[in-house]
Structures are given as structure tokens and as C-alpha cells.
Amino acid sequence: MQLTAWTYEGPPHVGAMRVATAMAGVHLVLHAPQGDTYADLLFTMIERRDHRPPVTFTTFQARDLGADTAELFRGAVREAAARFRPEALLVGASCTAELLQDDPGGLASTLGLSMPVVPLELPSYSRKENWGAAETFYQVVRHLVDRSRRAPPRDGRRPRANLLGPAALGFRHRDDVAEVRGLLDELGVEVHVVAPLGARAADIARLGEADLNILLYPEIGDAAARFLERTFRQPTVRTVPIGHGATIAFMREVAGHLGLDPEPALERAARRARLPWWSRSVDSTYLTGKRVFVFGDATHAVAIARVARDEIGFEVVGLGCYNREFAREVRAAAAEFGIEPTITDDWLEVEARIAELQPELVLGTQMERMIAKRLRIPCTVISAPVHVQDFPARYSPVMGFEGANVLFDTIVHPLVMGLEEHLLMMFREDFEFRDEAGPSHLATAVAPSSEPSRPAVVAAARAPVWTAEAEAELKKIPFFVRGKARRNTEAFATERGLDCITVETLYDAKSHFAR
């Protein structure tokens, strides 16, 4: 394990906690020292849950190491089973307790408990949080699913789909599930089980009754989805509906597996999408070609990089992920963009890469938000790990057509606000921006003046000629202030008797009016 000031992923027992906390009616007993109970705060403080995670820690201390820690664990399991009476009990060890080699699964199996016991192997020194969540969910499915329960013949009933992967501490998982439910309802598809988020042991038992599985978050649900494919021959939809185009592809893939016609549903649902309209509008042109760096978990990073390029018109100059288990998918996507991927869980490497590329926008995690702030680059969060402000109380998915609207706001607003700040800085001393200038130029009444205005005087003179290089540089200025920049530069050149405007003239004029 690498000790660092910041980390993208915690140890695998935090991933196990994410699955246990997401489910209902289960309890996790973790063999862990007193200090590892900090993980509770991740859910109550960051995710703002109204109840503690269903986790019991053995909380052994240094003085306990000379005694029987195995008996301490057995006692904690007995107490948790008697107190909480869970429908299923998960048992494992934290990264510190792993060194004791007490075998939580074997110890719990000797107690003769009335509920199912799911043992977890969480190798903290070779794996991390997302892997721990995926392994926990896989073990829960493998131990609790009823292999005799399979999808009955359709016979006129609505087709059924399982939604796999949403968990606690996930980036907008709650709202994504609601949005995907709506998309499936438009298609006439019933959501059979959502797991692990909100699922009980009885729900896991009936996973095999669905006609197909929809893998929303591969980092957590992929191993379980593959197990269900092998066990029940259920097809899996792997298109993640992030972005307008991907949502259309997702609905068509679901419909194709189930023999449905997706077009009427697409026509109804797509009316809510605003991103395609904006991408075709004149307002979008001043952001076209902006250079962006995208980093996060593999699923969100790859999907949102494609949204940035294909639906907003940005140039993706950097793409990467921190979860190495999905490095192959990110490398394939980076090759599609023609760039070198950044696969690392060291935030210092990510910071160095951003500093090297100097993008105009960073789309990343809470860590990249901090990096971009130091580098004075606009940033927005598109992936876990996240802080409390990225668990909004309002409905704010990133999947589906409404998710595309949210992404549009999320991605575009930092640039728009950054341009506004740039505008105010560039022209902060311009006469139209000064308080003593009087009414805004948008006012309906303008006081008469006996002298011609400054633009009129400039227009009366012969306009200087712009060089091709200066014209190209002028086009880099946002369109809504480009005209003012042209007028100010021409006025500056005319007052100094310059017949030709070069790049140097343009910047001299900028400096002059910024004084």
C-alpha cells in the first residue's frame, strides 16, 4: 500500500462497506482495529446518509494482540447476529487485521448461525476499493442467488431487466437508477432487481428470473454480471448510457435483446434532451475546440471524454483512469482519440500531466478539482472520489437524456464563467465598465452629446490593415467580446498612426486598455 496525502481509492474493505451500506437487511462484521472505524464518516458525512452503515467492527487495540483475537472476532459476530438479526451476514478483515490471519470466514462458519454467512477475502496489499466492492457484490450474488429460479416464458408479460452495479458512495448512482428506470419504462421493460443499491437477500435470490442484465457500473458489477451470464445464460447490456448518443445506443441495445421497437420510445424520451440543440446553436461555437483533460474511474472517464468530443466539440488532449483493472478499456479509448493514456493512482503524476498539457478545462475527480485550482484551470467533477458538494439533494443524474442535460451544464458552465471573469479582467478599465459611465449601453434612453462618440471618430478615420497572424490571434478571443477587442485595437493603432496591426499591436492594445 502506498501512503499518500490523497488517495483515489481506499482499501478493499471500504469497497465491502459500500456494498453492505447500499443493501438492505444485511450486516457486515469487519475484523479491524479501533482506528479503522473512520470509514463510517465517509457515508454519514460525505454522502449525507441519515443512518450509520450496517457494519460492526471488532475494534481490537494493541493490548488485545497478546490475547485471542480470533475469539474477539467470534464474539463480535455473535453479538451482531443477535442484535441486528440480518437476512445475511458478511464477514471480512480490514487492511490492518489482515496481518493477523485470523480467517474471518472460517471462524464465522463454526458458529452455527441461522442466517447465510458470506465470507470475504479482501487482499488489502494488492487490491483497492473498487475491486473490494466488485468482489463483495460477486460473493453476495454467488452465495445468495437461487440457481433454480430462472426467467419464465414471456407469454405476453413485460420483459424484465436487472440493474447491476449501483452502490453507496457512487457518483450520482441514486439518480442514475431513477433515470434509467424511466428509460426502460418508455421501452415497456420492467426493472426486476436493482443491486446492490436497495437490494435485500431475497432480491438477490431472484436475479435469475430476469430476461437480461444491465451493467451500469462495470467497476462494481462486472464480475457479478459475468457470473449471471454463465449461470443463467442471461445476456448483458454493457453500453453505459452517459451522453445523448450513448443513451440512444443503450435503448436500442436493450430493445434488440428483447425484440422491441425502440423508436417510439426514443422519440418521446429525446424531447427532454437539450444538449443536441445547444451543440447545433451559434452559442456553442465559442467553445468548439477547447482542449480538455479527462480523468476518473474508467467508465466515467471514457464515456464523458466521448461526450466532450462528439457532442460538445472539445478536443480531448488527455485521458486516464486510476483503477488499473480497467486500464485496457482506457488505453483502447485513448488510441481512438490519438493520445497517450494516463493510467496511475498517484495524483502527483496526474498533476504533472495536467501541467504539461495545459488544458483549458479539466474533467475529473475531487482530486483533480484541487489540482486544477492550484494550476488556475477551470474544472468540474465527473467521477468518484467526490466530496459532499457532489452529492446534491436535487435530482442530478449523469445517465440518460436528463443526465446529458446535467453534463451539458456541468461541463460548459466552468468555461462560460471563466470567460466572463476573463472579460471583466481584460476590460476592467474600459469606459463602459466604469461606474461613472452612467447607464448601461442596453438602456433605452441615452443622453445627447454635442461631441461625436469615440467609435464614430474611429470609423471616420481610415481603418488599419490586419495581418493574417493578428486576425488568427483575434479569433481566439470569445466571440461576444471579439468586436470590442477589434474596435479597441483599431482605435489604439489609429491614435498612434499605425497602418498595420500585428499580433504585437493586439497585445499592446490589450495592455493599454487593461491599465
Side-chain angles (χ1 to χ4, degrees):
M1 294 179 66
Q2 179 184 11
L3 297 178
T4 179
W6 289 347
T7 182
Y8 288 101
E9 296 182 87
H13 75 265
V14 173
M17 291 180 65
R18 292 178 59 188
V19 172
T21 303
M23 296 183 68
V26 304
H27 198 83
L28 169 64
V29 178
L30 271 178
H31 201 19
Q34 190 171 20
D36 282 358
T37 58
Y38 77 90
D40 273 14
L41 295 176
L42 297 174
F43 301 90
T44 55
M45 182 183 73
I46 295 179
E47 196 173 18
R48 298 189 289 194
R49 285 183 170 262
D50 58 358
H51 57 277
R52 298 285 294 274
V55 182
T56 293
F57 297 89
T58 55
T59 60
F60 60 82
Q61 301 179 45
R63 64 174 177 266
D64 298 316
L65 297 180
D68 189 352
T69 54
E71 183 55 39
L72 181 67
F73 177 78
R74 279 192 289 262
V77 172
R78 289 191 197 96
E79 291 174 11
R83 178 182 178 185
F84 298 105
R85 301 186 181 278
E87 299 164 18
L89 192 69
L90 316 182
V91 294
S94 74
C95 50
T96 311
E98 184 185 357
L99 298 172
L100 301 178
Q101 298 183 336
D102 277 337
D103 185 18
L107 293 172
S109 66
T110 66
L111 298 178
L113 300 176
S114 59
M115 70 282 297
V117 176
V118 180
L120 304 175
E121 293 290 337
L122 304 171
S124 301
Y125 296 90
S126 60
R127 299 291 186 173
K128 294 194 174 182
E129 180 181 325
N130 276 319
W131 185 91
E135 175 66 11
T136 300
F137 183 42
Y138 164 69
Q139 293 297 341
V140 166
V141 171
R142 190 171 73 87
H143 280 79
L144 301 183
V145 74
D146 186 342
R147 289 170 171 77
S148 68
R149 299 171 70 169
R150 296 175 180 268
R154 294 273 288 275
D155 295 335
R157 67 169 175 82
R158 295 181 78 190
R160 304 168 178 167
N162 297 321
L163 304 184
L164 303 181
L169 277 183
F171 184 66
R172 310 290 173 81
H173 287 195
R174 175 201 64 190
D175 296 345
D176 284 349
V177 167
E179 180 67 14
V180 172
R181 277 184 182 274
L183 297 178
L184 295 177
D185 188 60
E186 290 281 355
L187 288 170
V189 178
E190 174 187 334
V191 174
H192 186 57
V193 173
V194 178
L197 186 65
R200 309 188 76 93
D203 297 321
I204 301 297
R206 60 191 181 95
L207 282 170
E209 297 175 351
D211 299 297
L212 83 164
N213 296 309
I214 295 174
L215 183 58
L216 295 181
Y217 306 100
E219 280 83 358
I220 297 175
D222 185 64
R226 293 184 187 279
F227 171 79
L228 294 171
E229 284 177 342
R230 295 191 303 269
T231 305
F232 299 102
R233 299 293 186 265
Q234 292 169 322
T236 300
V237 173
R238 295 182 177 275
T239 299
V240 179
I242 295 179
H244 185 266
T247 299
I248 292 173
F250 165 81
M251 294 181 72
R252 286 178 175 157
E253 184 177 351
V254 171
H257 280 298
L258 299 174
L260 305 172
D261 179 11
E263 299 311 317
L266 283 172
E267 184 177 346
R268 290 191 300 271
R271 292 172 188 157
R272 305 196 306 269
R274 296 179 178 85
L275 175 59
W277 167 85
W278 184 85
S279 296
R280 295 191 299 267
S281 71
V282 174
D283 290 349
S284 71
T285 56
Y286 71 94
L287 294 181
T288 301
K290 291 293 184 183
R291 303 169 72 255
V292 298
F293 180 93
V294 187
F295 193 88
D297 68 57
T299 297
H300 285 89
V302 170
I304 289 174
R306 288 181 177 140
V307 170
R309 180 192 64 181
D310 300 339
E311 301 184 19
I312 302 182
F314 290 162
E315 178 189 357
V316 177
V317 297
L319 173 63
C321 75
Y322 55 79
N323 47 334
R324 297 177 184 273
E325 292 86 358
F326 288 82
R328 179 180 301 176
E329 289 83 349
V330 175
R331 289 194 178 99
E336 176 188 328
F337 287 99
I339 57 180
E340 187 67 25
T342 303
I343 312 295
T344 181
D345 57 4
D346 185 344
W347 64 273
L348 291 172
E349 290 184 25
V350 179
E351 182 174 44
R353 186 65 173 152
I354 294 173
E356 174 192 352
L357 293 172
Q358 284 296 304
E360 295 166 278
L361 175 67
V362 174
L363 306 175
T365 72
Q366 171 69 13
M367 313 256 282
E368 281 66 52
R369 193 208 309 266
M370 299 298 185
I371 291 169
K373 185 176 182 180
R374 286 203 305 277
L375 297 177
R376 299 183 180 275
I377 301 172
C379 177
T380 194
V381 172
I382 50 86
S383 165
V386 297
H387 203 13
V388 62
Q389 66 264 45
D390 296 301
F391 285 99
R394 67 186 183 281
Y395 181 64
S396 187
V398 294
M399 290 187 179
F401 292 114
E402 186 60 30
N405 294 336
V406 171
L407 279 179
F408 159 58
D409 286 341
T410 300
I411 294 173
V412 169
H413 284 175
L415 284 174
V416 172
M417 297 307 296
L419 288 172
E420 181 177 306
E421 291 175 7
H422 172 74
L423 167 67
L424 294 174
M425 178 61 67
M426 183 174 179
F427 297 103
R428 66 182 183 274
E429 293 300 325
D430 190 281
F431 70 97
E432 290 189 16
F433 282 83
R434 291 187 177 183
D435 292 337
E436 61 268 24
S440 165
H441 63 286
L442 298 177
T444 55
V446 179
S449 173
S450 59
E451 297 183 4
S453 65
R454 181 174 181 176
V457 173
V458 173
R462 185 174 63 86
V465 177
W466 289 70
T467 65
E469 293 79 8
E471 285 280 7
E473 194 70 12
L474 181 68
K475 290 179 180 178
K476 297 179 182 179
I477 298 175
F479 81 95
F480 53 81
V481 292
R482 195 176 299 149
K484 177 175 284 294
R486 178 184 289 275
R487 291 193 300 273
N488 284 350
T489 304
E490 289 177 351
F492 176 86
T494 300
E495 289 175 356
R496 283 154 181 76
L498 301 177
D499 296 326
C500 181
I501 294 176
T502 64
V503 173
E504 289 75 19
T505 311
L506 177 62
Y507 281 97
D508 287 343
K510 176 184 175 182
S511 299
H512 172 76
F513 289 110
R515 284 202 301 256

